[in-house]
Amino acid sequence: MAEHSEAPGRLAAIIADPGSAPHDSSVTHVTGKSEYVDDRPMVKGELHCGLVYSPYAHARVRRLDIAPALAVPGVVCAVTAADVAHNAWGTIFQDQPIIAAAEVNFVGEVVAVVAAETKEALAKGLTEVVVEWEKLPAIRTVAEAVAAKSFIGSERTIATGDAVAALARSPHRVAGTLEIGGADHFYLESQAAVVYPREDGQLEVHSSTQHPTETQHVVAEACGVRFSDVVCIAKRLGGGFGGKESQAAPIAAYAALVAKQTGRAARLVLSKDDDMIITGKRNPFRIEYQCGFDADGRIIALDAMLHADGGAYADLSTAIMERAMLHCDNAYFIPNMRVRGQVCRTNFHPHTAFRGFGGPKGVALIESVIEDIARVVDRDALDVRVLNCYGPGQDMTPYGQRVEDNHLPELFATLTERCAYRARRAEIAAWNADRARNPDGHSRGLSLTAVKFGISFTTRFLNQGNALVNLHRDGTVQVSTGAVEMGQGVNARIAAIVAEQFGLPTGSVRIMPTSTEKNANTSPTAASTGTDINGAAALQACETICARLSALAIRLRSIPPESWAKKTAGLGTMPEIAVGSGVSPRGTDEQRVEFRNGVVTVTDRSGSVFTVGFAELVREAYLNRISVSEYAHYSIPDLGFDKLTGKGRAFLYFTQGVAASEVELDRDTGEVKVRRVDILMDMGRPVNHALDMGQVMGGFVQGMGWLTTEHLVYDGNGKLLSHSPSTYKIPSVQDTPRVFNADLIFNHGNSVNVRGSKASGEPPLLLSISVWTAVRDAIMSARSSDASVSSGQHAQLVPLAIPATAERVLRGLSPQMFAAWDARDMQVANGGQQ
């Protein structure tokens, strides 16, 4: 893996290492000392909680009897819908009951919570709850939802130009349907919460949540108490990836309802099986599209209709759809585009946020279309991408935001050369055609795709955060923000920002557990904005403190040390030093102040220097009754996306990158081997280079899983069958690319974000689409070289659903054989003879 690299032109400025401090919990993770929710010691009288949930996708609750469960020794209480003060919740629309009453709408919908003193009593009590169900018809597919007009929200449109007219006059067109499956978050720590009842009706909630504020509010409403009576604390998460942005809230509410009813601490930790069955996934999509282009492959028009499976309730699906629509252009200028989006209501668990939100769906669409265009015009797909790439004069998105600080052309050019794309393309073509070297007829494919990922919440009011910074008299710092640490390293990044501002080692900065009593009304740690929003707020607080300390240091310079407060404050023999406004964090034009290596230096215009230790200066500030604590609020500026018109500045900036992936397909098993991956990304000026590299490579591999192996399988009742590690295939170390090169450019031109950095959480995952397009390339190459179809057909456009499982790869490679088998199976199913 390479370090920083030099790119042409504007990308040439490089520094040795912008910061690679270790993850703040790396030692405790390795030694097993990191504390998660279920690691909290049991307290006296604490209860174990479990859930009774629907086995049917859609059913009426004819009878619910908890009395037999309450008769089990050790069972203390059972909570139903009747015990919920406000039985509706939802991040966007409050359309989902916390506990269902008369009707259930998905397998896993909770109808009762049982609490017991032991796990054994809990298991027995859960089986004793009596529920009589009346099974009802269920909507199981997007097509069924469309036919029934079963929708969530209204249809949305983002458009520019006249796509319909431009399509009609386009010399060439492709059309098709792209089926995109869901995926499970598969965080290692399941949904979990412990709730402690406190005096005077207060509740202290410890939750594995990405959104402590929403969890606080849902708990308060469910229990019928004020928001101020609930404190939600999230020390760290064992992974989230969006799955704990909204869906952690009802889990905490279940435990809180028990705690409120019994006056005893209550703990609810889902098993992996229950977690996967109950919680929503990445939204499945069905996309129908038409694209017009010229003989060179330049896109003239794109018209697409996106349908998303939202599941039984709204959750975040309408916002996810919006993000998908906003990313259908990806890295390419499309003069005429119409993208429509509609979320469908089905009888599955309510689908929810997942790393990339809806962005991967839109990017998969346009990258697949470009592969098809390349086949039709007989050009390399990379050339078609470069031809259509955003550039000077063609830098306006379909929603009316200019692509600023655009490095996409340089990224394409640099990676093309670095990964020897042209030579490898020729070698792959030779390999695929040479049965002497490739006797099994395995097919290889290569694809180089891009990402232009917008960073900000598209709901403007979410783009705010706050921070509390406390300096202590030994020179150490405590920082509290609304950011939640879930393994991504947001704590280490914020610590680095604070440490740099004060001129301290990062070890002097302690990031405190996220708590709603210190940081209220916070946004979720999501949309790759954790460091952007919370780090900027922390920086503002630090700057205010630094301004006070700078003013104090300037005053101390002219005061003999024997007259400083450390000598006189106890006796009151000298007047206090008062500091006012007019001094910046770095002093004045006459006297510049520098915070560096634990020392504060004041330098005047003559070059005269005065120094004082940072800790000593903090003590002097305290003794002079000068505040060394500060609260700050930050809101991302210059945002204005109109959701009704589909126009405006939706994002503060774009994280950009490119990736080239080479794959080999086994024609006998359908197995996909990723032979090599090369990634090049623009992360601005990284706050922590090592953590960014981890996010790039980890996000890419996670995306590979969604695109190739992670297949959700449901039974006829709508229950998830692949609900454990034995049946759900996430990537393992054996699935990682055999050769894996990742690198960052160092972009000095980025200045809109905190410390010139760019977000690294979600964008790398979208680059893994290059693996899927490489698989398509390999399939289409194999089909085109097949003697039975090569004559009479210029291009083989092979649809490939996501995930590209082994079976789907085999179907793509041998469609005629599978068509015959499918016809035979259909005949048998209809009572015919084999």
Side-chain angles (χ1 to χ4, degrees):
M1 181 180 72
E3 290 296 327
H4 290 286
S5 298
E6 186 169 340
R10 291 173 292 160
L11 310 183
I14 307 299
I15 64 172
D17 188 351
S20 292
H23 191 288
D24 65 301
S25 299
S26 55
V27 174
T28 56
H29 284 351
V30 171
T31 57
K33 295 179 181 178
S34 293
E35 181 185 273
Y36 297 90
V37 171
D38 199 29
D39 292 322
R40 299 184 63 82
M42 296 284 291
V43 299
K44 184 178 180 180
E46 185 171 321
L47 301 174
H48 299 277
C49 301
L51 305 177
V52 179
Y53 56 78
S54 169
Y56 299 110
H58 190 199
R60 186 173 290 113
V61 182
R62 283 298 188 184
R63 176 169 169 254
L64 173 63
D65 188 359
I66 60 174
L70 294 175
V72 174
V75 172
V76 174
C77 79
V79 174
T80 66
D83 301 298
V84 184
H86 178 72
N87 198 14
W89 76 283
T91 301
I92 299 174
F93 310 114
Q94 284 205 342
D95 64 339
Q96 183 171 355
I98 292 173
I99 299 179
E103 186 175 303
V104 291
N105 289 289
F106 65 94
V107 173
E109 186 159 14
V110 174
V111 295
V113 183
V114 177
E117 294 175 329
T118 66
K119 292 183 178 180
E120 293 75 16
L122 175 62
K124 177 64 173 172
L126 290 170
T127 64
E128 291 298 312
V129 175
V130 176
V131 190
E132 294 179 2
W133 310 95
E134 178 188 346
K135 191 174 178 182
L136 300 174
I139 295 176
R140 297 286 307 282
T141 67
V142 165
E144 291 174 2
V146 171
K149 293 184 168 30
S150 177
F151 299 134
I152 298 172
S154 58
E155 182 180 302
R156 297 276 301 279
T157 300
I158 292 176
T160 187
D162 189 336
V164 175
L167 273 168
R169 67 173 183 265
S170 296
H172 302 280
R173 287 187 293 274
V174 293
T177 300
L178 175 59
E179 299 281 354
I180 302 177
D184 188 78
H185 304 82
F186 216 89
Y187 29 70
L188 294 183
E189 179 198 23
S190 293
Q191 300 278 6
V194 180
V195 180
Y196 304 100
R198 301 305 188 192
E199 65 180 22
D200 196 26
Q202 298 177 68
L203 296 168
E204 181 182 305
V205 180
H206 292 259
S207 172
S208 184
T209 175
Q210 293 175 235
H211 198 347
T213 292
E214 181 176 36
T215 298
Q216 171 198 20
H217 294 176
V218 172
V219 165
E221 290 176 340
C223 293
V225 300
R226 300 171 302 178
F227 291 172
S228 58
D229 292 329
V230 179
V231 173
C232 181
I233 301 168
K235 181 175 177 64
R236 64 165 59 85
L237 278 58
F241 311 115
K244 297 175 181 176
E245 180 176 344
S246 60
Q247 299 201 358
I251 301 299
Y254 300 143
L257 287 163
V258 170
K260 182 174 183 292
Q261 186 177 114
T262 64
R264 298 165 66 169
R267 179 181 305 242
L268 175 57
V269 180
L270 297 186
S271 67
K272 177 55 68 178
D273 299 87
D274 281 347
D275 190 303
M276 292 185 72
I277 291 169
I278 292 170
T279 61
K281 316 302 175 193
R282 184 186 290 278
N283 294 71
F285 268 60
R286 185 176 189 269
I287 303 175
E288 297 169 308
Y289 62 88
Q290 295 183 75
C291 183
F293 49 95
D294 65 20
D296 293 324
R298 188 181 300 276
I299 297 174
I300 298 171
L302 175 67
D303 190 12
M305 181 69 214
L306 282 60
H307 283 106
D309 183 341
Y313 302 106
D315 201 274
L316 289 160
S317 290
T318 53
I320 290 164
M321 172 59 77
E322 180 180 81
R323 174 73 71 157
M325 296 166 67
L326 286 166
H327 283 75
C328 283
D329 62 321
N330 192 26
Y332 313 107
F333 176 72
I334 305 174
N336 301 283
M337 189 176 94
R338 180 180 68 167
V339 176
R340 293 168 291 161
Q342 177 65 67
V343 178
C344 298
R345 192 185 299 275
T346 64
N347 292 112
F348 287 105
H349 26 216
H351 295 304
T352 191
F354 199 138
R355 193 175 190 174
F357 221 52
K361 295 21 174 297
V363 172
L365 165 65
I366 191 61
E367 295 293 351
S368 176
V369 167
I370 285 179
E371 293 284 327
D372 288 347
I373 292 172
R375 289 277 166 177
V376 171
V377 300
D378 198 22
R379 296 189 68 185
D380 192 290
L382 174 58
D383 295 326
V384 177
R385 289 185 168 95
V386 171
L387 177 68
N388 288 284
C389 183
Y390 278 113
Q394 296 184 329
D395 58 359
M396 188 64 70
T397 66
Y399 45 93
Q401 177 172 348
R402 194 170 302 281
V403 182
E404 300 166 331
D405 191 33
N406 178 21
H407 296 300
L408 287 165
E410 294 99 322
L411 288 165
F412 268 120
T414 302
L415 190 65
T416 299
E417 180 179 352
R418 258 198 223 175
C419 77
Y421 179 90
R422 305 294 180 183
R424 288 169 59 203
R425 171 61 76 190
E427 167 59 21
I428 286 171
W431 162 271
N432 287 339
D434 189 348
R435 286 302 178 91
R437 295 172 59 199
N438 177 22
D440 296 320
H442 294 172
S443 182
R444 292 179 182 174
L446 178 65
S447 185
L448 196 160
T449 67
V451 66
K452 172 187 64 66
F453 195 87
I455 305 297
S456 295
F457 290 99
T458 54
T459 299
R460 182 165 51 187
F461 66 77
L462 291 176
N463 293 290
Q464 61 177 308
N466 54 66
L468 173 64
V469 177
N470 292 320
L471 268 61
H472 295 277
R473 283 178 278 169
D474 63 352
T476 60
V477 190
Q478 289 179 329
V479 181
S480 300
T481 76
V484 177
E485 176 59 54
M486 54 189 123
Q488 82 280 37
V490 67
N491 283 357
R493 288 182 173 88
I494 294 175
I497 291 169
V498 171
E500 181 185 1
Q501 184 67 26
F502 289 133
L504 299 172
T506 55
S508 294
V509 179
R510 171 74 67 183
I511 306 297
M512 306 306 292
T514 309
S515 173
T516 57
E517 67 175 332
K518 295 177 182 174
N519 302 95
N521 303 312
T522 56
S523 297
T525 302
S528 302
T529 63
T531 300
D532 290 14
I533 293 173
N534 298 282
L539 179 60
Q540 284 187 3
C542 293
E543 288 175 338
T544 301
I545 296 171
C546 280
R548 295 182 196 133
L549 294 178
S550 293
L552 176 61
I554 290 171
R555 292 288 304 278
L556 288 175
R557 176 176 185 166
S558 60
I559 299 174
E562 59 271 16
S563 298
W564 287 12
K566 65 182 178 181
K567 299 287 188 179
T568 64
L571 300 174
T573 56
M574 295 293 291
E576 286 182 323
I577 298 175
V579 297
S581 59
V583 177
S584 80
R586 299 306 178 194
T588 66
D589 291 339
E590 296 296 326
Q591 302 191 73
R592 303 302 296 164
V593 180
E594 182 181 23
F595 294 77
R596 187 175 183 182
N597 296 329
V599 175
V600 181
T601 303
V602 181
T603 306
D604 65 18
R605 284 194 168 185
S606 69
S608 176
V609 174
F610 164 76
T611 63
V612 58
F614 180 82
E616 185 177 10
L617 182 61
V618 171
R619 286 193 293 273
E620 283 296 311
Y622 167 75
L623 294 171
N624 282 282
R625 295 192 293 179
I626 298 169
S627 174
V628 287
S629 296
E630 187 63 32
Y631 170 93
H633 177 269
Y634 171 78
S635 60
I636 294 179
D638 303 323
L639 296 177
F641 178 67
D642 187 326
K643 293 175 180 288
L644 297 180
T645 63
K647 296 291 184 181
R649 185 177 178 85
F651 307 111
L652 179 63
Y653 63 89
F654 298 99
T655 294
Q656 304 161 9
V658 290
S661 295
E662 180 181 339
V663 302
E664 181 176 318
L665 313 183
D666 189 315
R667 294 197 71 150
D668 296 323
T669 66
E671 180 185 8
V672 175
K673 290 183 179 179
V674 183
R675 291 171 47 82
R676 175 174 170 177
V677 169
D678 296 84
I679 299 173
L680 184 62
M681 295 203 72
D682 167 22
M683 294 293 185
R685 289 173 282 175
V687 172
N688 188 306
H689 177 259
L691 288 177
D692 278 356
M693 291 300 292
Q695 289 291 289
V696 168
M697 302 179 84
F700 187 93
V701 172
Q702 184 178 43
M704 281 174 48
W706 164 56
L707 291 157
T708 60
T709 63
E710 296 183 31
H711 192 199
L712 298 168
V713 181
Y714 297 84
D715 69 11
N717 284 325
K719 177 184 177 181
L720 182 67
L721 295 177
S722 51
H723 55 75
S724 69
S726 62
T727 52
Y728 187 76
K729 178 64 171 67
I730 65 170
S732 71
V733 67
Q734 299 299 326
D735 298 303
T736 56
R738 273 52 175 176
V739 177
F740 201 176
N741 300 314
D743 204 356
L744 308 180
I745 64 171
F746 198 74
N747 175 8
H748 280 292
N750 180 51
S751 59
V752 298
N753 196 38
V754 57
R755 290 286 187 259
S757 64
K758 286 191 175 185
S760 61
E762 293 173 291
L765 184 141
L766 284 76
L767 288 176
S768 61
I769 289 170
S770 60
V771 171
W772 175 67
T773 51
V775 172
R776 283 198 73 207
D777 177 64
I779 292 173
M780 290 193 286
S781 296
R783 293 276 295 276
S784 295
S785 63
D786 191 320
S788 64
V789 297
S790 59
S791 59
Q793 284 193 334
H794 179 68
Q796 289 292 309
L797 303 183
V798 181
L800 182 63
I802 293 173
T805 60
E807 178 182 337
R808 286 172 174 164
V809 168
L810 288 174
R811 284 181 175 274
L813 290 169
S814 305
Q816 294 170 330
M817 180 171 62
F818 276 88
W821 289 346
D822 289 343
R824 181 199 63 187
D825 291 344
M826 182 65 69
Q827 184 181 24
V828 172
N830 291 333
Q833 299 296 318
Q834 293 191 26

